[in-house]
Coordinates of all heavy atoms in Angstrom, one line a residue:
P3 N -22.6 20.3 -1.9 CA -23.7 19.6 -2.5 C -24.4 20.4 -3.6 O -24.5 21.6 -3.5 CB -24.6 19.2 -1.4 CG -24.2 20.1 -0.2 CD -22.9 20.5 -0.5
R4 N -24.8 19.7 -4.6 CA -25.6 20.4 -5.7 C -27.0 20.6 -5.2 O -27.6 19.7 -4.5 CB -25.7 19.5 -6.9 CG -24.3 19.4 -7.6 CD -24.5 18.5 -8.9 NE -25.0 17.2 -8.5 CZ -25.6 16.4 -9.4 NH1 -25.6 16.7 -10.6 NH2 -26.0 15.2 -9.0
V5 N -27.6 21.7 -5.5 CA -29.0 22.0 -5.1 C -29.8 22.4 -6.3 O -29.3 23.1 -7.2 CB -29.0 23.2 -4.1 CG1 -30.4 23.6 -3.7 CG2 -28.2 22.9 -2.9
N6 N -30.9 21.7 -6.4 CA -31.8 22.1 -7.5 C -32.4 23.5 -7.3 O -32.9 23.8 -6.2 CB -33.0 21.0 -7.6 CG -33.8 21.1 -8.9 OD1 -33.7 22.2 -9.5 ND2 -34.4 20.0 -9.2
S7 N -32.2 24.3 -8.3 CA -32.6 25.7 -8.1 C -34.0 26.0 -7.8 O -34.4 27.0 -7.2 CB -32.1 26.6 -9.3 OG -32.8 26.1 -10.4
S8 N -34.9 25.1 -8.2 CA -36.3 25.3 -8.0 C -36.8 24.9 -6.5 O -37.9 25.1 -6.2 CB -37.2 24.5 -9.0 OG -37.0 23.1 -8.8
L9 N -35.9 24.2 -5.8 CA -36.2 23.8 -4.4 C -35.5 24.6 -3.4 O -34.4 25.1 -3.6 CB -35.8 22.3 -4.2 CG -36.4 21.3 -5.1 CD1 -35.8 19.9 -4.9 CD2 -37.9 21.2 -4.8
S10 N -36.1 24.8 -2.3 CA -35.5 25.5 -1.2 C -34.5 24.6 -0.5 O -34.5 23.4 -0.8 CB -36.5 26.0 -0.2 OG -37.0 24.9 0.5
S11 N -33.6 25.1 0.3 CA -32.6 24.3 0.9 C -33.2 23.2 1.8 O -32.5 22.2 2.1 CB -31.5 25.1 1.6 OG -32.2 25.8 2.7
D12 N -34.4 23.5 2.4 CA -35.0 22.5 3.2 C -35.6 21.3 2.5 O -35.9 20.3 3.1 CB -36.1 23.1 4.1 CG -35.6 24.2 5.0 OD1 -34.4 24.0 5.4 OD2 -36.3 25.1 5.4
E13 N -35.8 21.5 1.2 CA -36.5 20.4 0.4 C -35.5 19.7 -0.5 O -35.8 19.3 -1.6 CB -37.6 21.1 -0.4 CG -38.6 21.7 0.4 CD -39.6 22.5 -0.5 OE1 -39.2 23.0 -1.6 OE2 -40.8 22.7 -0.1
L14 N -34.3 19.5 -0.1 CA -33.3 18.8 -0.9 C -33.7 17.4 -1.1 O -34.1 16.7 -0.2 CB -31.9 18.9 -0.2 CG -31.2 20.2 -0.2 CD1 -29.9 20.0 0.6 CD2 -30.8 20.6 -1.6
L15 N -33.5 16.9 -2.3 CA -33.7 15.5 -2.6 C -32.4 14.8 -2.5 O -31.4 15.3 -2.9 CB -34.4 15.4 -4.0 CG -35.7 16.0 -4.2 CD1 -36.2 15.8 -5.6 CD2 -36.7 15.3 -3.3
L16 N -32.4 13.5 -2.0 CA -31.2 12.8 -1.9 C -30.5 12.6 -3.2 O -29.2 12.6 -3.2 CB -31.5 11.5 -1.2 CG -31.8 11.6 0.3 CD1 -32.1 10.2 0.9 CD2 -30.7 12.2 1.1
E17 N -31.2 12.4 -4.3 CA -30.6 12.1 -5.5 C -29.9 13.4 -6.1 O -29.1 13.3 -7.0 CB -31.5 11.5 -6.6 CG -32.7 12.3 -6.9 CD -34.0 11.9 -6.1 OE1 -33.8 11.0 -5.2 OE2 -35.0 12.4 -6.4
D18 N -30.2 14.5 -5.6 CA -29.5 15.7 -6.0 C -28.2 16.0 -5.3 O -27.5 16.9 -5.7 CB -30.4 17.0 -5.8 CG -31.6 17.0 -6.8 OD1 -31.4 16.4 -7.9 OD2 -32.6 17.6 -6.6
L19 N -27.9 15.2 -4.3 CA -26.7 15.4 -3.6 C -25.6 14.6 -4.2 O -25.8 13.4 -4.7 CB -26.8 15.0 -2.1 CG -27.8 15.8 -1.3 CD1 -27.9 15.2 0.1 CD2 -27.3 17.2 -1.2
E20 N -24.4 15.1 -4.3 CA -23.2 14.4 -4.9 C -22.4 13.9 -3.8 O -21.9 14.7 -2.9 CB -22.4 15.4 -5.8 CG -21.3 14.7 -6.5 CD -20.5 15.6 -7.4 OE1 -20.6 16.8 -7.2 OE2 -19.9 15.1 -8.4
T21 N -22.2 12.6 -3.7 CA -21.4 12.1 -2.6 C -19.9 12.1 -2.9 O -19.5 12.4 -4.1 CB -21.8 10.6 -2.4 OG1 -21.4 9.8 -3.5 CG2 -23.2 10.4 -2.1
E22 N -19.1 11.9 -1.9 CA -17.6 11.9 -2.1 C -17.2 10.8 -3.0 O -16.3 10.9 -3.8 CB -16.9 11.7 -0.7 CG -15.4 11.8 -0.8 CD -14.9 13.1 -1.3 OE1 -15.5 14.2 -1.1 OE2 -13.7 13.1 -1.9
G23 N -17.9 9.6 -2.9 CA -17.5 8.5 -3.8 C -17.8 8.9 -5.3 O -17.0 8.5 -6.2
E24 N -18.9 9.6 -5.5 CA -19.2 10.0 -6.9 C -18.2 11.0 -7.4 O -17.7 10.9 -8.6 CB -20.6 10.6 -7.0 CG -21.7 9.6 -6.8 CD -23.1 10.3 -6.7 OE1 -23.1 11.4 -6.3 OE2 -24.1 9.6 -7.0
R25 N -17.7 11.9 -6.5 CA -16.7 12.9 -6.9 C -15.4 12.2 -7.2 O -14.7 12.5 -8.2 CB -16.4 13.9 -5.8 CG -17.4 15.0 -5.8 CD -17.0 16.1 -4.8 NE -18.2 16.4 -4.0 CZ -18.3 16.3 -2.7 NH1 -17.3 16.0 -2.0 NH2 -19.5 16.5 -2.2
Q26 N -15.0 11.2 -6.4 CA -13.8 10.4 -6.7 C -13.9 9.7 -8.0 O -12.9 9.6 -8.8 CB -13.5 9.4 -5.6 CG -13.1 10.0 -4.3 CD -11.8 10.7 -4.3 OE1 -10.9 10.2 -5.1 NE2 -11.6 11.7 -3.5
L27 N -15.0 9.0 -8.3 CA -15.2 8.3 -9.6 C -15.1 9.2 -10.8 O -14.5 8.9 -11.8 CB -16.6 7.6 -9.5 CG -16.6 6.3 -8.7 CD1 -18.0 5.7 -8.6 CD2 -15.6 5.3 -9.2
K28 N -15.7 10.4 -10.6 CA -15.7 11.4 -11.7 C -14.2 11.8 -12.0 O -13.8 12.0 -13.1 CB -16.6 12.6 -11.4 CG -18.0 12.4 -11.6 CD -18.8 13.6 -11.4 CE -20.3 13.4 -11.5 NZ -21.1 14.5 -11.2
S29 N -13.5 12.1 -10.9 CA -12.1 12.5 -11.0 C -11.3 11.4 -11.7 O -10.5 11.7 -12.6 CB -11.5 12.8 -9.6 OG -10.2 12.9 -9.7
L30 N -11.5 10.1 -11.3 CA -10.8 9.0 -12.0 C -11.1 8.9 -13.4 O -10.3 8.6 -14.3 CB -11.1 7.7 -11.2 CG -10.4 7.6 -9.8 CD1 -11.0 6.3 -9.1 CD2 -8.9 7.5 -9.9
L31 N -12.4 9.1 -13.7 CA -12.9 9.0 -15.1 C -12.2 10.1 -16.0 O -11.7 9.8 -17.1 CB -14.4 9.1 -15.2 CG -15.0 9.1 -16.6 CD1 -14.8 7.7 -17.3 CD2 -16.5 9.4 -16.6
H32 N -12.2 11.3 -15.4 CA -11.5 12.4 -16.2 C -10.0 12.1 -16.4 O -9.5 12.4 -17.4 CB -11.7 13.7 -15.4 CG -13.1 14.2 -15.5 ND1 -13.8 14.5 -16.7 CD2 -14.1 14.5 -14.6 CE1 -15.0 14.9 -16.5 NE2 -15.2 14.9 -15.2
Q33 N -9.4 11.5 -15.4 CA -8.0 11.2 -15.5 C -7.7 10.2 -16.6 O -6.8 10.2 -17.4 CB -7.4 10.7 -14.2 CG -7.2 11.8 -13.2 CD -6.6 11.2 -11.9 OE1 -6.3 10.0 -11.8 NE2 -6.6 12.0 -10.8
Q34 N -8.6 9.2 -16.7 CA -8.5 8.2 -17.7 C -8.8 8.7 -19.1 O -8.2 8.3 -20.1 CB -9.4 7.0 -17.4 CG -8.9 6.1 -16.3 CD -9.8 4.9 -16.1 OE1 -11.0 4.9 -16.4 NE2 -9.3 3.9 -15.5
L35 N -9.8 9.6 -19.2 CA -10.1 10.1 -20.5 C -9.2 11.2 -21.0 O -9.1 11.4 -22.2 CB -11.6 10.6 -20.5 CG -12.7 9.6 -20.2 CD1 -14.0 10.3 -20.2 CD2 -12.6 8.5 -21.3
D36 N -8.4 11.8 -20.1 CA -7.5 12.8 -20.5 C -6.2 12.2 -21.1 O -5.4 11.5 -20.4 CB -7.1 13.7 -19.3 CG -6.2 14.8 -19.7 OD1 -6.1 15.2 -20.9 OD2 -5.5 15.4 -18.8
T37 N -6.1 12.3 -22.4 CA -4.9 11.6 -23.1 C -3.8 12.6 -23.4 O -2.8 12.2 -24.0 CB -5.4 11.0 -24.4 OG1 -6.0 12.0 -25.2 CG2 -6.4 9.8 -24.2
S38 N -3.9 13.8 -23.0 CA -2.9 14.8 -23.2 C -1.9 14.8 -22.1 O -2.0 15.5 -21.1 CB -3.5 16.2 -23.4 OG -4.1 16.6 -22.2
V39 N -1.0 13.8 -22.1 CA 0.0 13.6 -21.1 C 1.4 13.9 -21.6 O 1.8 13.5 -22.7 CB -0.1 12.1 -20.6 CG1 0.9 11.9 -19.5 CG2 -1.5 11.8 -20.1
S40 N 2.1 14.6 -20.8 CA 3.5 14.9 -21.2 C 4.5 14.1 -20.4 O 4.1 13.4 -19.4 CB 3.8 16.4 -20.9 OG 3.8 16.6 -19.5
I41 N 5.7 14.0 -20.8 CA 6.7 13.2 -20.2 C 7.0 13.8 -18.8 O 7.2 13.0 -17.8 CB 8.0 13.1 -21.0 CG1 7.7 12.3 -22.3 CG2 9.2 12.5 -20.2 CD1 8.9 12.2 -23.2
E42 N 6.9 15.1 -18.6 CA 7.2 15.7 -17.4 C 6.1 15.3 -16.3 O 6.5 15.1 -15.2 CB 7.2 17.3 -17.5 CG 8.4 17.8 -18.2 CD 8.4 17.6 -19.7 OE1 7.2 17.5 -20.2 OE2 9.4 17.6 -20.3
Q43 N 4.9 15.2 -16.8 CA 3.8 14.7 -15.9 C 4.1 13.3 -15.4 O 3.9 12.9 -14.3 CB 2.5 14.8 -16.5 CG 1.9 16.2 -16.7 CD 0.6 16.3 -17.5 OE1 0.4 15.4 -18.3 NE2 -0.2 17.2 -17.2
C44 N 4.5 12.4 -16.3 CA 4.8 11.0 -16.0 C 6.0 11.0 -15.0 O 6.0 10.2 -14.1 CB 5.1 10.2 -17.2 SG 3.7 10.0 -18.3
K45 N 7.0 11.8 -15.2 CA 8.1 11.8 -14.3 C 7.7 12.3 -12.9 O 8.3 11.8 -12.0 CB 9.2 12.7 -14.9 CG 10.0 12.1 -16.0 CD 11.1 13.0 -16.4 CE 12.0 12.5 -17.5 NZ 13.0 13.4 -17.9
S46 N 6.8 13.2 -12.9 CA 6.4 13.8 -11.6 C 5.6 12.7 -10.8 O 5.6 12.7 -9.6 CB 5.6 15.0 -11.7 OG 4.4 14.8 -12.3
K47 N 5.0 11.8 -11.5 CA 4.2 10.8 -10.8 C 5.0 9.5 -10.5 O 4.5 8.6 -9.8 CB 3.0 10.4 -11.6 CG 1.9 11.5 -11.7 CD 0.7 11.0 -12.5 CE -0.3 12.1 -12.6 NZ -1.5 11.7 -13.3
R48 N 6.2 9.5 -10.9 CA 7.1 8.3 -10.7 C 7.3 8.2 -9.2 O 7.7 9.1 -8.5 CB 8.4 8.5 -11.5 CG 9.2 7.3 -11.4 CD 10.5 7.5 -12.3 NE 11.6 6.8 -11.6 CZ 12.7 7.3 -11.3 NH1 13.0 8.5 -11.8 NH2 13.6 6.7 -10.7
R49 N 7.3 6.9 -8.8 CA 7.5 6.7 -7.4 C 8.8 5.8 -7.3 O 9.0 4.9 -8.0 CB 6.3 5.9 -6.8 CG 5.1 6.7 -6.7 CD 4.0 6.0 -5.9 NE 2.9 6.8 -5.7 CZ 1.8 6.8 -6.4 NH1 1.7 5.9 -7.4 NH2 0.7 7.5 -6.1
C50 N 9.5 6.1 -6.2 CA 10.8 5.4 -6.0 C 10.5 4.5 -4.7 O 10.0 5.0 -3.7 CB 11.9 6.3 -5.7 SG 12.4 7.3 -7.1
F51 N 10.8 3.2 -4.9 CA 10.6 2.3 -3.8 C 11.9 1.8 -3.2 O 12.9 1.7 -3.9 CB 9.8 1.0 -4.3 CG 8.4 1.3 -4.7 CD1 8.1 1.5 -6.1 CD2 7.4 1.4 -3.8 CE1 6.8 1.8 -6.5 CE2 6.1 1.7 -4.2 CZ 5.8 1.9 -5.6
A52 N 11.9 1.7 -1.9 CA 13.1 1.2 -1.3 C 13.3 -0.3 -1.6 O 12.3 -1.0 -1.8 CB 13.0 1.4 0.2
P53 N 14.5 -0.8 -1.6 CA 14.7 -2.2 -1.9 C 14.1 -3.1 -0.7 O 14.0 -2.6 0.4 CB 16.2 -2.4 -2.0 CG 16.7 -1.2 -1.3 CD 15.8 -0.1 -1.5
A54 N 13.8 -4.3 -1.1 CA 13.2 -5.2 0.0 C 14.2 -5.4 1.1 O 15.4 -5.5 0.8 CB 12.8 -6.5 -0.7
A55 N 13.7 -5.5 2.3 CA 14.6 -5.8 3.4 C 15.0 -7.3 3.4 O 14.2 -8.2 3.0 CB 13.9 -5.5 4.7
F56 N 16.2 -7.5 3.8 CA 16.7 -8.9 3.8 C 16.9 -9.3 5.3 O 17.7 -8.6 5.9 CB 18.0 -9.0 3.0 CG 18.6 -10.4 3.0 CD1 18.0 -11.4 2.2 CD2 19.7 -10.7 3.7 CE1 18.5 -12.6 2.2 CE2 20.2 -12.0 3.7 CZ 19.6 -13.0 2.9
Y57 N 16.2 -10.2 5.8 CA 16.3 -10.6 7.2 C 17.0 -12.0 7.2 O 16.6 -13.0 6.6 CB 15.0 -10.7 7.8 CG 15.0 -11.2 9.2 CD1 15.6 -10.5 10.2 CD2 14.6 -12.5 9.6 CE1 15.7 -10.9 11.5 CE2 14.6 -13.0 10.9 CZ 15.2 -12.2 11.8 OH 15.3 -12.7 13.1
K58 N 18.1 -12.0 8.0 CA 18.8 -13.3 8.2 C 19.0 -13.4 9.7 O 19.8 -12.7 10.3 CB 20.2 -13.2 7.5 CG 21.0 -14.5 7.5 CD 22.3 -14.4 6.7 CE 23.0 -15.7 6.8 NZ 24.3 -15.5 6.1
P59 N 18.3 -14.3 10.3 CA 18.4 -14.5 11.8 C 19.7 -15.0 12.2 O 20.4 -15.7 11.4 CB 17.3 -15.5 12.1 CG 17.0 -16.2 10.8 CD 17.4 -15.3 9.7
F60 N 20.2 -14.6 13.4 CA 21.5 -15.1 13.8 C 21.3 -16.3 14.7 O 22.0 -16.5 15.7 CB 22.2 -13.9 14.5 CG 21.5 -13.3 15.7 CD1 21.7 -13.8 17.0 CD2 20.7 -12.3 15.5 CE1 21.1 -13.3 18.1 CE2 20.0 -11.7 16.6 CZ 20.2 -12.2 17.9
G61 N 20.5 -17.2 14.4 CA 20.2 -18.4 15.2 C 21.4 -19.4 15.2 O 21.6 -20.1 16.2
E62 N 22.1 -19.5 14.1 CA 23.2 -20.4 14.0 C 24.3 -20.0 14.9 O 24.9 -20.9 15.6 CB 23.8 -20.4 12.5 CG 22.8 -20.9 11.5 CD 23.3 -20.7 10.1 OE1 24.4 -20.3 9.9 OE2 22.5 -21.1 9.2
E63 N 24.6 -18.7 15.1 CA 25.6 -18.3 16.0 C 25.2 -18.4 17.4 O 26.0 -18.4 18.3 CB 26.1 -16.9 15.7 CG 26.7 -16.7 14.3 CD 25.7 -16.4 13.2 OE1 24.5 -16.2 13.6 OE2 26.1 -16.3 12.1
A64 N 23.9 -18.4 17.7 CA 23.4 -18.3 19.1 C 23.0 -19.7 19.6 O 22.3 -19.8 20.6 CB 22.2 -17.4 19.2
V65 N 23.4 -20.8 18.9 CA 23.0 -22.1 19.3 C 23.8 -22.4 20.6 O 25.0 -22.1 20.8 CB 23.4 -23.1 18.2 CG1 23.2 -24.6 18.7 CG2 22.6 -22.9 17.0
G66 N 23.1 -23.0 21.6 CA 23.7 -23.4 22.9 C 23.5 -22.3 23.9 O 22.7 -21.4 23.7
A67 N 24.1 -22.5 25.0 CA 24.0 -21.6 26.1 C 25.0 -20.4 26.0 O 26.2 -20.6 25.8 CB 24.2 -22.3 27.4
L68 N 24.4 -19.2 26.1 CA 25.3 -18.0 26.0 C 25.0 -17.1 27.2 O 23.9 -17.1 27.8 CB 24.9 -17.2 24.8 CG 25.2 -17.8 23.4 CD1 24.7 -16.8 22.3 CD2 26.7 -18.0 23.2
S69 N 26.0 -16.4 27.6 CA 25.8 -15.5 28.7 C 25.1 -14.2 28.1 O 25.0 -14.1 26.9 CB 27.1 -15.1 29.4 OG 27.9 -14.3 28.5
L70 N 24.5 -13.4 29.0 CA 23.9 -12.2 28.5 C 24.8 -11.3 27.7 O 24.5 -10.8 26.6 CB 23.3 -11.4 29.7 CG 22.5 -10.1 29.3 CD1 21.4 -10.4 28.4 CD2 22.1 -9.4 30.6
S71 N 26.0 -11.1 28.2 CA 27.0 -10.3 27.5 C 27.4 -10.8 26.1 O 27.5 -10.1 25.1 CB 28.2 -10.0 28.3 OG 28.9 -11.3 28.6
Q72 N 27.5 -12.2 26.0 CA 27.8 -12.8 24.7 C 26.6 -12.6 23.8 O 26.8 -12.3 22.6 CB 28.0 -14.3 24.9 CG 29.3 -14.6 25.6 CD 29.4 -16.1 25.9 OE1 28.4 -16.8 26.2 NE2 30.7 -16.6 25.8
F73 N 25.4 -12.7 24.3 CA 24.2 -12.6 23.4 C 24.1 -11.1 23.0 O 23.8 -10.8 21.8 CB 22.9 -13.0 24.2 CG 21.7 -12.9 23.3 CD1 21.5 -13.9 22.4 CD2 20.8 -11.9 23.4 CE1 20.3 -13.9 21.6 CE2 19.7 -11.8 22.6 CZ 19.4 -12.8 21.7
Q74 N 24.3 -10.2 23.9 CA 24.3 -8.7 23.5 C 25.3 -8.4 22.4 O 25.1 -7.6 21.5 CB 24.4 -7.9 24.7 CG 23.2 -7.9 25.6 CD 23.4 -7.1 26.9 OE1 24.5 -7.0 27.4 NE2 22.3 -6.7 27.5
A75 N 26.5 -9.0 22.6 CA 27.6 -8.7 21.6 C 27.2 -9.3 20.2 O 27.4 -8.7 19.2 CB 28.9 -9.4 22.0
L76 N 26.5 -10.5 20.3 CA 26.0 -11.1 19.0 C 24.9 -10.2 18.4 O 24.9 -10.0 17.2 CB 25.4 -12.5 19.3 CG 25.1 -13.4 18.2 CD1 26.2 -13.6 17.3 CD2 24.5 -14.7 18.7
Q77 N 24.0 -9.6 19.2 CA 23.0 -8.7 18.7 C 23.6 -7.5 18.1 O 23.2 -7.0 17.0 CB 22.1 -8.3 19.9 CG 20.9 -9.1 20.0 CD 19.9 -8.5 21.0 OE1 20.3 -8.0 22.0 NE2 18.6 -8.7 20.8
E78 N 24.6 -6.9 18.7 CA 25.3 -5.7 18.2 C 25.9 -6.0 16.8 O 25.9 -5.2 15.9 CB 26.3 -5.1 19.2 CG 25.7 -4.5 20.4 CD 24.8 -3.3 20.0 OE1 25.2 -2.5 19.1 OE2 23.7 -3.2 20.6
S79 N 26.6 -7.1 16.8 CA 27.2 -7.6 15.5 C 26.2 -7.7 14.4 O 26.4 -7.4 13.3 CB 28.0 -8.9 15.7 OG 28.5 -9.4 14.5
D80 N 25.0 -8.3 14.8 CA 23.9 -8.5 13.8 C 23.4 -7.1 13.4 O 23.0 -7.0 12.2 CB 22.8 -9.4 14.4 CG 21.8 -9.7 13.4 OD1 22.1 -10.3 12.4 OD2 20.6 -9.3 13.6
K81 N 23.3 -6.2 14.3 CA 22.8 -4.8 13.9 C 23.7 -4.2 12.9 O 23.3 -3.6 11.9 CB 22.6 -3.9 15.1 CG 21.4 -4.2 16.0 CD 21.4 -3.3 17.2 CE 20.3 -3.6 18.1 NZ 20.3 -2.8 19.3
E82 N 25.0 -4.3 13.2 CA 26.0 -3.8 12.2 C 25.9 -4.4 10.9 O 25.9 -3.8 9.8 CB 27.4 -4.0 12.8 CG 28.5 -3.4 11.9 CD 29.9 -3.7 12.4 OE1 30.0 -4.6 13.2 OE2 30.8 -3.1 11.9
T83 N 25.8 -5.7 10.9 CA 25.6 -6.5 9.6 C 24.4 -6.0 8.8 O 24.4 -5.8 7.6 CB 25.6 -8.0 9.9 OG1 26.8 -8.4 10.6 CG2 25.5 -8.8 8.6
S84 N 23.3 -5.9 9.5 CA 22.0 -5.5 8.9 C 22.1 -4.1 8.3 O 21.6 -3.8 7.3 CB 20.8 -5.7 9.8 OG 20.9 -4.9 10.9
S85 N 22.8 -3.2 9.1 CA 22.9 -1.8 8.6 C 23.8 -1.8 7.4 O 23.6 -1.0 6.4 CB 23.4 -0.9 9.7 OG 24.7 -1.3 10.1
L86 N 24.9 -2.6 7.3 CA 25.7 -2.7 6.1 C 25.0 -3.3 5.0 O 25.1 -2.8 3.8 CB 27.0 -3.5 6.4 CG 28.0 -2.9 7.4 CD1 29.1 -3.9 7.7 CD2 28.6 -1.7 6.8
R87 N 24.1 -4.2 5.3 CA 23.3 -4.8 4.2 C 22.3 -3.8 3.6 O 22.0 -3.8 2.4 CB 22.5 -6.0 4.8 CG 22.0 -7.0 3.7 CD 21.5 -8.3 4.3 NE 22.6 -9.2 4.6 CZ 22.7 -9.8 5.8 NH1 21.9 -9.6 6.8 NH2 23.7 -10.6 6.0
E88 N 21.8 -2.9 4.5 CA 20.9 -1.9 4.1 C 21.6 -0.9 3.2 O 20.9 -0.2 2.3 CB 20.2 -1.1 5.2 CG 19.2 -2.0 6.0 CD 18.7 -1.3 7.2 OE1 19.1 -0.1 7.5 OE2 17.9 -1.9 8.0
L89 N 22.9 -0.7 3.4 CA 23.6 0.2 2.5 C 23.9 -0.4 1.1 O 24.4 0.3 0.2 CB 25.0 0.6 3.2 CG 24.9 1.4 4.4 CD1 26.2 1.6 5.1 CD2 24.3 2.8 4.1
G90 N 23.5 -1.6 0.9 CA 23.7 -2.3 -0.4 C 24.9 -3.2 -0.5 O 25.2 -3.6 -1.6
L91 N 25.6 -3.5 0.6 CA 26.7 -4.4 0.5 C 26.3 -5.8 0.4 O 25.3 -6.2 1.1 CB 27.7 -4.2 1.7 CG 28.3 -2.8 1.8 CD1 29.1 -2.7 3.1 CD2 29.1 -2.4 0.7
S92 N 27.0 -6.6 -0.3 CA 26.7 -8.0 -0.4 C 27.4 -8.7 0.8 O 28.1 -8.1 1.5 CB 27.3 -8.6 -1.7 OG 28.7 -8.6 -1.7
D93 N 27.0 -10.0 1.0 CA 27.6 -10.8 2.1 C 29.1 -10.9 2.1 O 29.8 -10.8 3.1 CB 26.9 -12.2 2.2 CG 25.5 -12.1 2.6 OD1 25.1 -11.1 3.3 OD2 24.8 -13.1 2.4
S94 N 29.6 -11.1 0.9 CA 31.1 -11.1 0.7 C 31.8 -9.8 1.1 O 32.8 -9.8 1.7 CB 31.5 -11.6 -0.7 OG 31.0 -10.7 -1.6
E95 N 31.1 -8.7 0.7 CA 31.7 -7.4 1.0 C 31.6 -7.1 2.5 O 32.5 -6.5 3.1 CB 30.9 -6.3 0.2 CG 31.1 -6.3 -1.3 CD 30.2 -5.4 -2.1 OE1 29.1 -5.2 -1.6 OE2 30.6 -5.0 -3.1
I96 N 30.5 -7.6 3.1 CA 30.4 -7.4 4.6 C 31.5 -8.2 5.3 O 32.1 -7.7 6.3 CB 29.0 -7.8 5.1 CG1 28.0 -6.8 4.5 CG2 28.9 -7.9 6.6 CD1 26.5 -7.2 4.8
L97 N 31.8 -9.4 4.9 CA 32.8 -10.2 5.5 C 34.2 -9.6 5.3 O 35.0 -9.5 6.2 CB 32.8 -11.6 4.9 CG 31.7 -12.6 5.3 CD1 31.8 -13.9 4.5 CD2 31.8 -12.8 6.8
L98 N 34.4 -9.0 4.1 CA 35.7 -8.3 3.9 C 35.8 -7.0 4.8 O 36.8 -6.7 5.3 CB 35.7 -7.8 2.4 CG 37.0 -7.1 1.9 CD1 38.2 -8.0 2.1 CD2 36.9 -6.7 0.5
W99 N 34.6 -6.3 5.0 CA 34.6 -5.2 5.9 C 35.0 -5.5 7.3 O 35.7 -4.8 8.0 CB 33.3 -4.5 5.8 CG 33.1 -3.4 6.8 CD1 32.4 -3.4 8.0 CD2 33.5 -2.0 6.6 NE1 32.5 -2.2 8.6 CE2 33.1 -1.3 7.8 CE3 34.2 -1.4 5.6 CZ2 33.4 0.0 8.0 CZ3 34.5 0.0 5.8 CH2 34.1 0.7 7.0
K100 N 34.4 -6.7 7.8 CA 34.7 -7.1 9.2 C 36.0 -7.6 9.3 O 36.7 -7.6 10.3 CB 33.6 -8.1 9.6 CG 32.2 -7.5 9.8 CD 31.3 -8.5 10.4 CE 30.0 -7.9 10.8 NZ 29.1 -8.8 11.4

């Protein structure tokens, strides 16, 4: 905290204290006003996002009465399909793989 030099530490005034919010706002203001940006700085701030997840329920295959072992086999097949989809394979490539 900032302290007015003419006051002792016991006589701090609330308006002389700098809050965390004020520090954050000052930091953001300085970032916005700083126009000396290099390409390397922009590259270092670049974020890579994972592709969106694609969920396809296996309800069509599970219609009707199934035994537990049949349902578990269906679940395992669905896990394999979803992991192949996460690797970037299309539905036609997954069918070719299977």
Side-chain angles (χ1 to χ4, degrees):
R4 291 182 303 165
V5 178
N6 192 339
S7 60
S8 65
L9 297 174
S10 71
S11 61
D12 294 336
E13 299 172 333
L14 288 175
L15 296 175
L16 288 178
E17 58 262 7
D18 286 338
L19 296 175
E20 184 178 25
T21 64
E22 182 63 27
E24 290 172 334
R25 276 188 231 126
Q26 291 290 331
L27 286 174
K28 283 182 184 178
S29 170
L30 289 172
L31 178 65
H32 289 299
Q33 285 178 8
Q34 284 184 337
L35 294 177
D36 184 19
T37 57
S38 61
V39 179
S40 68
I41 292 178
E42 288 77 23
Q43 287 174 329
C44 291
K45 283 183 179 179
S46 70
K47 290 184 180 181
R48 186 178 143 226
R49 292 187 175 99
C50 294
F51 294 97
F56 181 76
Y57 175 70
K58 186 177 180 182
F60 58 90
E62 296 171 4
E63 295 90 3
V65 173
L68 295 176
S69 69
L70 179 60
S71 60
Q72 289 172 327
F73 185 77
Q74 287 173 337
L76 189 59
Q77 266 187 326
E78 288 300 317
S79 173
D80 185 60
K81 283 181 187 176
E82 180 187 15
T83 303
S84 63
S85 63
L86 290 172
R87 199 172 279 129
E88 286 173 7
L89 292 173
L91 296 177
S92 67
D93 287 339
S94 60
E95 292 169 332
I96 292 172
L97 286 174
L98 182 63
W99 174 261
K100 289 186 172 187

